[in-house]
Amino acid sequence: GPFDMVSIGANYQNIVESRNNRGFGKTFRTERTERVHVIGVHVDMKKVIKQHDLNFGIDGQFNLLKSSAVGRNVNVDTTRAADSRYPDGKNNMNYIAAYLTHTWKISSKLILNEGIRYNLVTMRSTLTEASKDFYPLPYSEIKNVYNAVSGNLGIVGLPGKGFRVAALFSTGFRAPNVDDMSKIFSSVPGSVVVPNSKLKPEYTINGEVTIEKTFVGKLRLSATGFYTYFINAITTDRAAYNGADTIIYDGVASSITTMVNKGSAYTTGVTASAEVDVTNWLSIFASFTYTYGRILTDSTPYPLDHIPPIYGRVGVKAGYKWVSGEFFTVFNGKKRKVDYNMLGEDNFGQGTGTDLPGWFTLNARISIKPVKWFGIDLGCDNLMDLRYRHFASGISAPGRNFFVKARFNW
């Protein structure tokens, strides 16, 4: 036919996730369960015409969510009704898109690529009467249809041996999902997120520049600077519910927040890496990423949530014949209190109450492969057995951890 290649695929996932909560000394444990069925399909068609590569395609994803909850008496194993994390009726979210991409190999030193994509998203959540007994929301159904066109334009230059420069401009689109619009949940005691049926999509304008250079085949350097501007940025803010700014959630008086569109925001940052071959069997590597994000207001810009502190990895790798290994550190910088979004999901209360301390771990790996068909890997993470916590997590990371892995090939 008219195409050089046609790829057609389908996939299915069955996801079950649960959260069990019981206050200290309490009789009842609240058990919340989410079951998600995800069906995906895609058709991709490719055509090559001299220096031009064309791709046409359509893809879709269909999500079906069922959320349920029960209160269980841990002493006598009886149950009672409980509030679910999401509306306990039907929760569906479907994505359908059509796209066209084009790559033009102008010369051996210059490549141009561009693309366009049409997105259609539908979302529906319904509340049963049982759910309304817990939260008498002013609606029984949230139903929305969103559509948008997004695109990208990129150029790659190869000015010399081992030298690469790339620039990319793109636009993005994110429709509010069931989690954004319908969730009723408390990530920290004393604060609860309630649904917002009027939430709108957010759009982004993105740009990034990458420079990569290899020197005499031994030293490899790479750096990328990026910037994203959000329009109708989706974030969390204080809200009222039936005229009140607090409600009782899991027996705790909780301030009310909800997902809202905040006008505009931005993120910017840089990621860089380096690797040098000291000898034929020894190399040193390092990488780090720094991100900064703010919500733009009429006065002082306010921190955007989900922005991690600076993080990275530094180490040394060695390999000789059938033995190889590496020793490296993974590190996170300090997250200052002034950089936290106190209304969002940064979970400031899960930290120390001031700044979130920086941390680093020491880790080691060794791989032994005496024959082609068999190998064994040994390693230890967090050699110093330090206690630390990833940004925004409510659970401390593992302590010293050993592992052994055997690999067979035939």
Side-chain angles (χ1 to χ4, degrees):
F3 303 102
D4 298 325
M5 184 190 75
V6 177
S7 173
I8 301 173
N11 58 79
Y12 168 75
Q13 298 176 73
N14 180 17
I15 304 167
V16 181
E17 183 177 285
S18 61
R19 294 170 176 82
N20 299 325
N21 301 307
R22 181 167 72 96
F24 180 73
K26 301 296 183 180
T27 302
F28 279 88
R29 178 178 65 236
T30 302
E31 302 173 357
R32 296 183 175 93
T33 303
E34 280 71 57
R35 301 179 184 273
V36 187
H37 299 276
V38 185
I39 302 168
V41 295
H42 78 267
V43 178
D44 187 69
M45 298 160 283
K46 183 176 182 179
K47 181 68 176 178
V48 179
I49 306 174
K50 295 183 178 180
Q51 289 81 27
H52 302 269
D53 290 357
L54 295 170
N55 274 80
F56 311 85
I58 58 173
D59 65 64
Q61 188 184 97
F62 310 93
N63 298 264
L64 311 174
L65 163 67
K66 178 61 179 177
S67 188
S68 60
V70 65
R72 188 176 304 278
N73 189 313
V74 298
N75 296 323
V76 295
D77 199 27
T78 58
T79 61
R80 67 183 184 186
D83 54 295
S84 56
R85 180 182 174 94
Y86 300 100
D88 56 354
K90 294 182 178 180
N91 297 280
N92 303 332
M93 190 158 188
N94 306 312
Y95 307 80
I96 301 174
Y99 60 87
L100 167 64
T101 66
H102 169 241
T103 300
W104 180 15
K105 300 174 184 176
I106 301 172
S107 70
S108 61
K109 295 186 177 182
L110 192 62
I111 302 171
L112 180 70
N113 60 76
E114 66 274 359
I116 189 169
R117 180 182 180 94
Y118 171 74
N119 310 273
L120 176 66
V121 183
T122 65
M123 200 283 287
R124 182 190 180 201
S125 286
T126 58
L127 290 162
T128 67
E129 292 302 318
S131 182
K132 288 186 175 182
D133 291 340
F134 292 97
Y135 304 109
L137 296 170
Y139 47 81
S140 299
E141 180 182 64
I142 300 174
K143 188 176 182 180
N144 287 302
V145 178
Y146 310 104
N147 62 83
V149 176
S150 55
N152 70 278
L153 175 64
I155 188 167
V156 178
L158 306 168
K161 185 178 180 180
F163 192 18
R164 177 179 179 271
V165 180
L168 174 67
F169 173 80
S170 64
T171 61
F173 160 79
R174 185 173 84 85
N177 55 33
V178 174
D179 193 76
D180 294 325
M181 299 195 70
S182 306
K183 177 173 62 178
I184 306 173
F185 178 66
S186 175
S187 59
V188 292
S191 179
V192 64
V193 178
V194 299
N196 178 6
S197 61
K198 298 180 180 179
L199 199 60
K200 299 177 181 179
E202 69 178 10
Y203 303 86
T204 62
I205 301 172
N206 319 285
E208 65 178 63
V209 176
T210 298
I211 300 175
E212 298 175 352
K213 176 64 176 175
T214 300
F215 298 89
V216 297
K218 298 290 186 180
L219 174 61
R220 294 170 292 277
L221 301 177
S222 175
T224 298
F226 55 89
Y227 181 90
T228 296
Y229 181 77
F230 296 84
I231 302 169
N232 283 342
I234 297 175
T235 187
T236 309
D237 202 357
R238 296 198 182 280
Y241 177 79
N242 288 341
D245 57 5
T246 60
I247 59 173
I248 302 299
Y249 183 85
D250 275 351
V252 178
S254 304
S255 60
I256 300 171
T257 60
T258 191
M259 303 299 290
V260 298
N261 295 106
K262 269 293 193 178
S264 58
Y266 71 91
T267 61
T268 187
V270 62
T271 180
S273 65
E275 183 170 359
V276 58
D277 296 330
V278 181
T279 68
N280 291 333
W281 56 271
L282 180 68
S283 62
I284 300 171
F285 62 89
S287 65
F288 80 94
T289 299
Y290 170 75
T291 309
Y292 183 85
R294 286 295 186 268
I295 299 169
L296 299 176
T297 68
D298 293 335
S299 54
T300 305
Y302 189 71
L304 189 65
D305 50 355
H306 297 292
I307 302 298
I310 187 172
Y311 63 90
R313 177 183 172 118
V314 179
V316 57
K317 295 188 292 185
Y320 184 73
K321 293 185 177 179
W322 44 271
V323 180
S324 63
E326 64 176 329
F327 180 80
F328 61 94
T329 178
V330 175
F331 65 89
N332 265 217
K334 179 172 68 175
K335 177 81 171 182
R336 301 181 305 161
K337 182 177 180 179
V338 295
D339 292 326
Y340 271 86
N341 184 315
M342 297 298 181
L343 303 177
E345 297 181 343
D346 277 352
N347 292 344
F348 177 76
Q350 300 286 1
T352 61
T354 55
D355 299 330
L356 182 71
W359 54 264
F360 70 93
T361 63
L362 299 178
N363 315 275
R365 305 272 195 277
I366 186 169
S367 179
I368 304 170
K369 193 172 183 180
V371 293
K372 290 183 178 181
W373 55 269
F374 173 73
I376 187 167
D377 297 338
L378 309 171
C380 180
D381 292 324
N382 196 359
L383 282 162
M384 299 174 64
D385 199 27
L386 296 177
R387 182 186 181 191
Y388 67 99
R389 183 170 295 183
H390 288 282
F391 161 65
S393 175
I395 302 174
S396 293
R400 187 181 295 117
N401 175 47
F402 296 93
F403 67 87
V404 179
K405 178 170 64 176
R407 291 180 286 112
F408 298 87
N409 301 293
W410 64 89

